[in-house]
Amino acid sequence: MQWQPAGSYEDILFDLCEEGIARITINRPQKRNAFRPRTVQELCDAFSRVRDNPRVGVVLFTGAGPAADGGWAFCAGGDQSVRGDGGYLDESGLPRLNVLDLQRLIRSLPKVVIALVAGYAIGGGQVLHLLCDLSLAAENAVFGQTGPRVGSFDGGFGAGYLARLVGQRKAREIWFLCRQYGADQALAMGLVNGVVPLNQLETEGISWAREVLQHSPTAIRCLKAAFNAETDGMAGIQELAGQATHLFYRTAEGQEGRNAFLEKRPPDFSDAPWLP
Ligand code: S0N
Protein backbone atom coordinates (compact mmCIF):
# COMPACT_ATOMS: atom_id res chain seq x y z
CA MET A 1 0.00 0.00 0.00
CA GLN A 2 1.44 3.37 -1.08
CA TRP A 3 0.16 6.23 1.06
CA GLN A 4 0.50 9.78 -0.32
CA PRO A 5 0.29 12.75 2.08
CA ALA A 6 -2.85 14.70 1.14
CA GLY A 7 -2.53 17.77 3.33
CA SER A 8 -0.30 19.59 5.74
CA TYR A 9 -1.61 19.83 9.30
CA GLU A 10 -0.20 20.34 12.79
CA ASP A 11 -2.25 17.82 14.83
CA ILE A 12 -3.26 15.20 12.30
CA LEU A 13 -1.94 13.25 9.33
CA PHE A 14 -4.02 12.83 6.20
CA ASP A 15 -3.04 10.30 3.53
CA LEU A 16 -4.66 8.88 0.43
CA CYS A 17 -3.91 5.85 -1.69
CA GLU A 18 -4.82 5.19 -5.30
CA GLU A 19 -7.24 2.41 -4.38
CA GLY A 20 -9.77 4.88 -2.93
CA ILE A 21 -8.85 4.61 0.75
CA ALA A 22 -8.08 7.61 2.98
CA ARG A 23 -6.22 7.40 6.27
CA ILE A 24 -6.80 10.09 8.91
CA THR A 25 -4.53 9.91 11.98
CA ILE A 26 -4.68 11.98 15.16
CA ASN A 27 -1.03 12.81 15.69
CA ARG A 28 -0.58 13.91 19.31
CA PRO A 29 0.84 10.72 20.82
CA GLN A 30 2.50 12.63 23.68
CA LYS A 31 -1.06 13.54 24.81
CA ARG A 32 -2.49 10.06 24.08
CA ASN A 33 -4.00 11.74 20.99
CA ALA A 34 -6.33 13.93 23.05
CA PHE A 35 -7.99 16.55 20.87
CA ARG A 36 -7.84 20.31 21.25
CA PRO A 37 -9.96 22.69 19.11
CA ARG A 38 -7.24 22.81 16.42
CA THR A 39 -7.19 19.00 16.23
CA VAL A 40 -10.93 18.93 15.71
CA GLN A 41 -10.80 21.71 13.10
CA GLU A 42 -8.16 19.81 11.18
CA LEU A 43 -10.11 16.54 11.42
CA CYS A 44 -13.22 18.33 10.11
CA ASP A 45 -11.19 19.68 7.21
CA ALA A 46 -9.79 16.26 6.29
CA PHE A 47 -13.16 14.50 6.59
CA SER A 48 -14.75 17.26 4.47
CA ARG A 49 -12.12 16.73 1.82
CA VAL A 50 -12.85 13.00 1.86
CA ARG A 51 -16.53 13.78 1.46
CA ASP A 52 -15.82 15.87 -1.64
CA ASN A 53 -13.45 13.37 -3.24
CA PRO A 54 -15.44 11.00 -5.49
CA ARG A 55 -12.51 8.59 -5.72
CA VAL A 56 -12.50 7.83 -1.99
CA GLY A 57 -14.97 5.30 -0.56
CA VAL A 58 -13.45 4.29 2.78
CA VAL A 59 -11.65 6.16 5.58
CA LEU A 60 -9.37 4.47 8.10
CA PHE A 61 -9.50 6.64 11.24
CA THR A 62 -6.72 6.01 13.74
CA GLY A 63 -4.27 7.46 16.26
CA ALA A 64 -0.50 7.78 15.99
CA GLY A 65 1.66 5.65 18.26
CA PRO A 66 3.48 4.59 20.17
CA ALA A 67 4.33 7.69 22.21
CA ALA A 68 7.91 8.22 23.41
CA ASP A 69 7.01 6.43 26.67
CA GLY A 70 5.66 3.44 24.74
CA GLY A 71 1.98 4.25 25.36
CA TRP A 72 -0.64 3.75 22.65
CA ALA A 73 -3.92 5.55 22.08
CA PHE A 74 -6.61 5.98 19.48
CA CYS A 75 -7.73 9.10 21.34
CA ALA A 76 -8.01 10.08 25.02
CA GLY A 77 -10.82 12.61 24.45
CA GLY A 78 -10.77 16.34 25.03
CA ASP A 79 -7.40 17.85 25.94
CA GLN A 80 -7.89 18.74 29.60
CA SER A 81 -4.88 21.06 29.58
CA VAL A 82 -6.74 23.57 27.35
CA ARG A 83 -10.10 23.13 29.02
CA GLY A 84 -11.24 26.54 30.22
CA ASP A 85 -14.31 27.37 32.27
CA GLY A 86 -16.66 27.18 29.26
CA GLY A 87 -15.14 24.67 26.85
CA TYR A 88 -11.84 23.85 25.20
CA LEU A 89 -9.90 27.05 24.48
CA ASP A 90 -8.65 27.59 20.95
CA GLU A 91 -5.47 29.55 20.21
CA SER A 92 -7.35 32.86 20.41
CA GLY A 93 -8.80 31.94 23.80
CA LEU A 94 -12.32 31.22 22.51
CA PRO A 95 -14.07 28.31 24.29
CA ARG A 96 -15.27 25.60 21.90
CA LEU A 97 -17.19 22.30 21.93
CA ASN A 98 -16.40 21.68 18.27
CA VAL A 99 -16.05 17.90 18.57
CA LEU A 100 -19.82 17.78 18.11
CA ASP A 101 -19.36 19.12 14.55
CA LEU A 102 -16.87 16.35 13.87
CA GLN A 103 -19.23 13.71 15.25
CA ARG A 104 -22.00 14.81 12.85
CA LEU A 105 -19.55 14.93 9.94
CA ILE A 106 -18.43 11.34 10.49
CA ARG A 107 -21.99 10.19 11.11
CA SER A 108 -23.35 11.66 7.87
CA LEU A 109 -20.32 11.02 5.66
CA PRO A 110 -21.74 9.00 2.73
CA LYS A 111 -18.71 6.71 2.83
CA VAL A 112 -17.54 4.01 5.21
CA VAL A 113 -15.41 5.03 8.21
CA ILE A 114 -13.42 2.26 9.91
CA ALA A 115 -11.86 2.96 13.32
CA LEU A 116 -8.49 1.30 13.90
CA VAL A 117 -8.04 1.35 17.67
CA ALA A 118 -4.63 0.68 19.19
CA GLY A 119 -4.41 1.51 22.89
CA TYR A 120 -6.81 3.84 24.67
CA ALA A 121 -10.14 5.01 23.26
CA ILE A 122 -11.31 7.00 26.26
CA GLY A 123 -13.84 9.79 26.89
CA GLY A 124 -14.59 11.78 23.73
CA GLY A 125 -12.16 9.45 21.93
CA GLN A 126 -14.36 6.49 22.71
CA VAL A 127 -17.32 8.45 21.33
CA LEU A 128 -15.45 9.22 18.11
CA HIS A 129 -14.70 5.52 17.76
CA LEU A 130 -18.38 4.77 18.40
CA LEU A 131 -19.44 6.98 15.51
CA CYS A 132 -17.31 5.10 12.99
CA ASP A 133 -19.26 2.57 10.92
CA LEU A 134 -16.92 -0.31 11.72
CA SER A 135 -14.28 -0.72 14.39
CA LEU A 136 -11.23 -2.93 14.53
CA ALA A 137 -9.37 -3.19 17.82
CA ALA A 138 -5.78 -4.17 18.36
CA GLU A 139 -5.23 -6.60 21.22
CA ASN A 140 -3.94 -3.70 23.35
CA ALA A 141 -7.09 -1.59 22.88
CA VAL A 142 -8.77 -0.20 26.00
CA PHE A 143 -12.18 1.47 25.99
CA GLY A 144 -13.88 3.52 28.66
CA GLN A 145 -15.51 6.70 29.87
CA THR A 146 -14.16 9.15 32.44
CA GLY A 147 -16.70 11.98 32.24
CA PRO A 148 -18.27 11.57 35.69
CA ARG A 149 -14.72 11.58 37.10
CA VAL A 150 -13.28 14.55 35.20
CA GLY A 151 -16.44 16.65 35.03
CA SER A 152 -17.83 16.09 31.54
CA PHE A 153 -20.36 13.92 29.76
CA ASP A 154 -21.63 13.23 26.27
CA GLY A 155 -25.40 12.90 26.44
CA GLY A 156 -25.79 12.68 22.66
CA PHE A 157 -24.36 9.82 20.61
CA GLY A 158 -22.00 9.06 23.50
CA ALA A 159 -24.91 7.94 25.69
CA GLY A 160 -27.85 7.14 23.40
CA TYR A 161 -26.02 5.48 20.55
CA LEU A 162 -23.72 3.63 22.97
CA ALA A 163 -26.83 2.16 24.60
CA ARG A 164 -28.13 1.11 21.18
CA LEU A 165 -24.88 -0.76 20.56
CA VAL A 166 -24.21 -2.41 23.91
CA GLY A 167 -27.61 -2.22 25.64
CA GLN A 168 -28.87 0.13 28.33
CA ARG A 169 -27.44 -1.81 31.28
CA LYS A 170 -23.92 -1.99 29.89
CA ALA A 171 -23.99 1.64 28.72
CA ARG A 172 -25.00 2.81 32.19
CA GLU A 173 -22.25 0.67 33.71
CA ILE A 174 -19.67 2.18 31.33
CA TRP A 175 -20.65 5.75 32.23
CA PHE A 176 -21.54 5.37 35.92
CA LEU A 177 -18.56 3.22 36.96
CA CYS A 178 -15.89 4.73 34.62
CA ARG A 179 -14.16 1.37 34.28
CA GLN A 180 -11.84 0.35 31.47
CA TYR A 181 -12.59 -2.56 29.11
CA GLY A 182 -10.11 -4.57 27.06
CA ALA A 183 -10.43 -5.53 23.41
CA ASP A 184 -12.03 -8.93 24.06
CA GLN A 185 -14.61 -7.39 26.41
CA ALA A 186 -15.34 -4.75 23.76
CA LEU A 187 -15.87 -7.50 21.18
CA ALA A 188 -18.15 -9.45 23.52
CA MET A 189 -20.37 -6.40 24.14
CA GLY A 190 -20.61 -5.48 20.44
CA LEU A 191 -18.48 -2.34 20.67
CA VAL A 192 -16.03 -3.51 17.99
CA ASN A 193 -16.22 -5.76 14.94
CA GLY A 194 -12.98 -7.62 15.46
CA VAL A 195 -9.75 -7.91 17.42
CA VAL A 196 -6.37 -8.42 15.76
CA PRO A 197 -2.73 -8.37 16.87
CA LEU A 198 -1.35 -4.83 17.03
CA ASN A 199 1.06 -5.38 14.13
CA GLN A 200 -1.82 -6.49 11.88
CA LEU A 201 -4.23 -3.65 12.67
CA GLU A 202 -3.67 -1.52 9.57
CA THR A 203 -3.29 -4.50 7.24
CA GLU A 204 -6.62 -5.86 8.44
CA GLY A 205 -8.22 -2.42 8.08
CA ILE A 206 -6.99 -2.17 4.50
CA SER A 207 -8.33 -5.63 3.78
CA TRP A 208 -11.78 -4.67 5.15
CA ALA A 209 -11.66 -1.43 3.13
CA ARG A 210 -10.88 -3.35 -0.05
CA GLU A 211 -13.89 -5.60 0.53
CA VAL A 212 -16.15 -2.57 0.95
CA LEU A 213 -14.75 -0.96 -2.21
CA GLN A 214 -15.82 -3.95 -4.32
CA HIS A 215 -19.44 -3.10 -3.60
CA SER A 216 -21.97 -0.57 -4.90
CA PRO A 217 -21.27 2.99 -3.62
CA THR A 218 -24.95 3.86 -3.97
CA ALA A 219 -26.14 0.82 -2.02
CA ILE A 220 -23.65 1.55 0.74
CA ARG A 221 -24.47 5.27 1.05
CA CYS A 222 -28.19 4.45 1.17
CA LEU A 223 -27.63 1.72 3.76
CA LYS A 224 -25.52 4.02 5.95
CA ALA A 225 -28.28 6.65 5.81
CA ALA A 226 -30.87 3.95 6.60
CA PHE A 227 -28.96 2.72 9.65
CA ASN A 228 -28.60 6.32 10.84
CA ALA A 229 -32.28 7.13 10.21
CA GLU A 230 -33.34 4.52 12.73
CA THR A 231 -31.59 6.38 15.54
CA ASP A 232 -31.04 9.97 14.43
CA GLY A 233 -34.57 11.42 14.41
CA MET A 234 -35.41 14.07 11.80
CA ALA A 235 -31.72 14.57 10.94
CA GLY A 236 -31.52 10.84 10.12
CA ILE A 237 -34.68 10.97 8.04
CA GLN A 238 -33.33 14.04 6.22
CA GLU A 239 -30.17 12.12 5.39
CA LEU A 240 -32.03 9.06 4.11
CA ALA A 241 -34.52 11.18 2.17
CA GLY A 242 -31.59 13.07 0.66
CA GLN A 243 -30.30 9.81 -0.77
CA ALA A 244 -33.71 9.22 -2.39
CA THR A 245 -33.63 12.73 -3.89
CA HIS A 246 -30.11 12.09 -5.11
CA LEU A 247 -31.30 8.95 -6.94
CA PHE A 248 -34.44 10.71 -8.26
CA TYR A 249 -32.34 13.49 -9.84
CA ARG A 250 -30.64 10.80 -11.89
CA THR A 251 -33.90 9.51 -13.45
CA ALA A 252 -35.54 10.65 -16.72
CA GLU A 253 -38.66 11.44 -14.68
CA GLY A 254 -36.79 13.80 -12.34
CA GLN A 255 -34.96 15.42 -15.23
CA GLU A 256 -38.21 16.00 -17.16
CA GLY A 257 -39.42 18.28 -14.36
CA ARG A 258 -36.25 20.35 -14.58
CA ASN A 259 -36.27 20.42 -18.41
CA ALA A 260 -39.91 21.49 -18.59
CA PHE A 261 -39.26 24.38 -16.21
CA LEU A 262 -36.20 25.55 -18.15
CA GLU A 263 -38.05 25.16 -21.50
CA LYS A 264 -41.09 27.03 -20.09
CA ARG A 265 -43.56 24.22 -20.94
CA PRO A 266 -45.79 21.94 -18.86
CA PRO A 267 -43.97 18.79 -17.70
CA ASP A 268 -44.79 15.50 -19.46
CA PHE A 269 -44.51 12.60 -17.03
CA SER A 270 -46.47 10.21 -19.29
CA ASP A 271 -43.43 7.91 -19.67
CA ALA A 272 -43.22 7.43 -15.89
CA PRO A 273 -45.28 4.41 -14.77
CA TRP A 274 -47.39 4.35 -11.60
CA LEU A 275 -45.75 1.12 -10.45
CA PRO A 276 -47.31 -1.08 -7.75
C1 S0N B 1 -5.88 7.72 28.52
C2 S0N B 1 -5.23 7.35 29.83
C3 S0N B 1 -6.04 6.23 30.53
C4 S0N B 1 -3.81 6.83 29.52
O1 S0N B 1 -3.12 6.52 30.72
P1 S0N B 1 -1.53 6.30 30.67
O2 S0N B 1 -1.17 5.38 29.55
O3 S0N B 1 -1.14 5.92 32.06
O4 S0N B 1 -0.89 7.72 30.27
P2 S0N B 1 -0.81 9.06 31.13
O5 S0N B 1 0.48 9.15 31.81
O6 S0N B 1 -2.04 9.28 31.93
O7 S0N B 1 -0.88 10.12 29.92
C5 S0N B 1 0.23 10.33 29.10
C6 S0N B 1 0.31 11.81 28.80
O8 S0N B 1 -0.86 12.15 28.05
C7 S0N B 1 -1.56 13.20 28.73
N1 S0N B 1 -2.97 13.03 28.52
C8 S0N B 1 -3.68 11.89 28.43
N2 S0N B 1 -4.96 12.12 28.24
C9 S0N B 1 -5.10 13.47 28.18
C10 S0N B 1 -6.20 14.32 28.00
N3 S0N B 1 -7.46 13.85 27.79
N4 S0N B 1 -5.97 15.64 28.02
C11 S0N B 1 -4.74 16.13 28.18
N5 S0N B 1 -3.64 15.36 28.35
C12 S0N B 1 -3.83 14.04 28.35
C13 S0N B 1 -1.17 13.01 30.19
O9 S0N B 1 -1.39 14.20 30.89
C14 S0N B 1 0.29 12.65 30.08
O10 S0N B 1 1.06 13.78 29.81
P3 S0N B 1 2.08 14.35 30.94
O11 S0N B 1 2.97 13.19 31.29
O12 S0N B 1 2.78 15.46 30.26
O13 S0N B 1 1.21 14.77 32.08
C15 S0N B 1 -5.13 8.54 30.79
O14 S0N B 1 -4.17 9.44 30.28
C16 S0N B 1 -6.40 9.26 31.00
O15 S0N B 1 -7.26 8.82 31.75
N6 S0N B 1 -6.56 10.41 30.33
C17 S0N B 1 -7.69 11.31 30.50
C18 S0N B 1 -8.91 10.79 29.78
C19 S0N B 1 -10.04 11.80 29.93
O16 S0N B 1 -10.53 12.01 31.02
N7 S0N B 1 -10.46 12.44 28.83
C20 S0N B 1 -11.42 13.51 28.82
C21 S0N B 1 -12.86 13.00 28.86
N8 S0N B 1 -13.77 14.04 28.45
C22 S0N B 1 -13.90 14.31 27.16
O17 S0N B 1 -13.34 13.71 26.28
C23 S0N B 1 -14.82 15.44 26.85
C24 S0N B 1 -15.74 15.07 25.70
C25 S0N B 1 -16.09 16.23 24.88
O18 S0N B 1 -15.20 16.80 24.34
C26 S0N B 1 -17.52 16.62 24.67
C27 S0N B 1 -18.52 15.69 24.75
C28 S0N B 1 -19.85 16.05 24.55
C29 S0N B 1 -20.18 17.36 24.27
C30 S0N B 1 -19.16 18.28 24.12
C31 S0N B 1 -17.84 17.90 24.35
C32 S0N B 1 -16.80 18.92 24.28
O19 S0N B 1 -16.32 19.29 25.36
O20 S0N B 1 -16.46 19.35 23.15
Side-chain angles (χ1 to χ4, degrees):
M1 171 67 61
Q2 289 278 29
W3 292 111
Q4 300 293 337
S8 176
Y9 298 98
E10 200 170 309
D11 286 7
I12 72 165
L13 303 169
F14 178 35
D15 303 289
L16 294 173
C17 77
E18 290 206 339
E19 292 180 49
I21 307 171
R23 182 178 62 183
I24 298 177
T25 309
I26 305 176
N27 189 25
R28 307 184 78 215
Q30 76 287 359
K31 293 258 187 189
R32 297 290 187 264
N33 294 320
F35 52 79
R36 55 179 174 165
R38 171 187 281 273
T39 322
V40 175
Q41 279 159 358
E42 292 182 357
L43 287 168
C44 286
D45 186 74
F47 273 100
S48 299
R49 287 172 61 193
V50 164
R51 186 183 182 103
D52 289 344
N53 186 337
R55 292 191 305 280
V56 176
V58 179
V59 186
L60 303 179
F61 184 27
T62 193
D69 65 359
W72 284 89
F74 170 76
C75 174
D79 184 335
Q80 300 303 296
S81 67
V82 297
R83 182 171 155 187
D85 291 342
Y88 296 87
L89 302 178
D90 70 15
E91 284 142 41
S92 68
L94 216 57
R96 292 183 182 273
L97 301 173
N98 58 352
V99 76
L100 300 181
D101 300 334
L102 175 62
Q103 291 182 0
R104 286 192 295 272
L105 192 48
I106 294 173
R107 185 76 173 165
S108 61
L109 192 81
K111 311 187 177 197
V112 176
V113 184
I114 305 177
L116 302 183
V117 181
Y120 289 102
I122 298 280
Q126 193 271 334
V127 180
L128 287 180
H129 140 271
L130 194 67
L131 283 155
C132 298
D133 300 294
L134 300 169
S135 172
L136 285 173
E139 286 168 345
N140 71 348
V142 179
F143 301 84
Q145 283 303 336
T146 61
R149 193 166 63 228
V150 299
S152 66
F153 62 90
D154 186 331
F157 289 109
Y161 187 55
L162 178 68
R164 290 280 183 142
L165 277 191
V166 304
Q168 282 277 349
R169 289 228 182 276
K170 200 71 190 177
R172 287 169 202 231
E173 175 192 311
I174 290 169
W175 274 101
F176 296 171
L177 272 59
C178 294
R179 287 183 184 168
Q180 294 183 352
Y181 302 84
D184 287 336
Q185 289 171 294
L187 185 63
M189 70 173 94
L191 203 54
V192 301
N193 297 90
V195 179
V196 294
L198 177 59
N199 64 3
Q200 289 169 29
L201 185 61
E202 181 165 302
T203 315
E204 188 68 6
I206 290 168
S207 162
W208 284 48
R210 284 178 175 148
E211 279 188 56
V212 170
L213 290 169
Q214 288 166 16
H215 302 139
S216 153
T218 303
I220 287 181
R221 65 186 289 148
C222 288
L223 280 166
K224 177 163 176 173
F227 284 123
N228 290 356
E230 202 245 331
T231 51
D232 292 4
M234 191 55 79
I237 293 169
Q238 179 208 41
E239 208 182 297
L240 181 59
Q243 302 305 328
T245 308
H246 185 247
L247 287 173
F248 184 50
Y249 278 165
R250 292 153 76 179
T251 65
E253 183 183 350
Q255 290 161 16
E256 167 59 11
R258 174 203 59 195
N259 294 345
F261 176 81
L262 293 176
E263 292 161 17
K264 300 188 186 305
R265 60 174 172 79
D268 176 4
F269 293 120
S270 58
D271 285 344
W274 293 89
L275 293 173

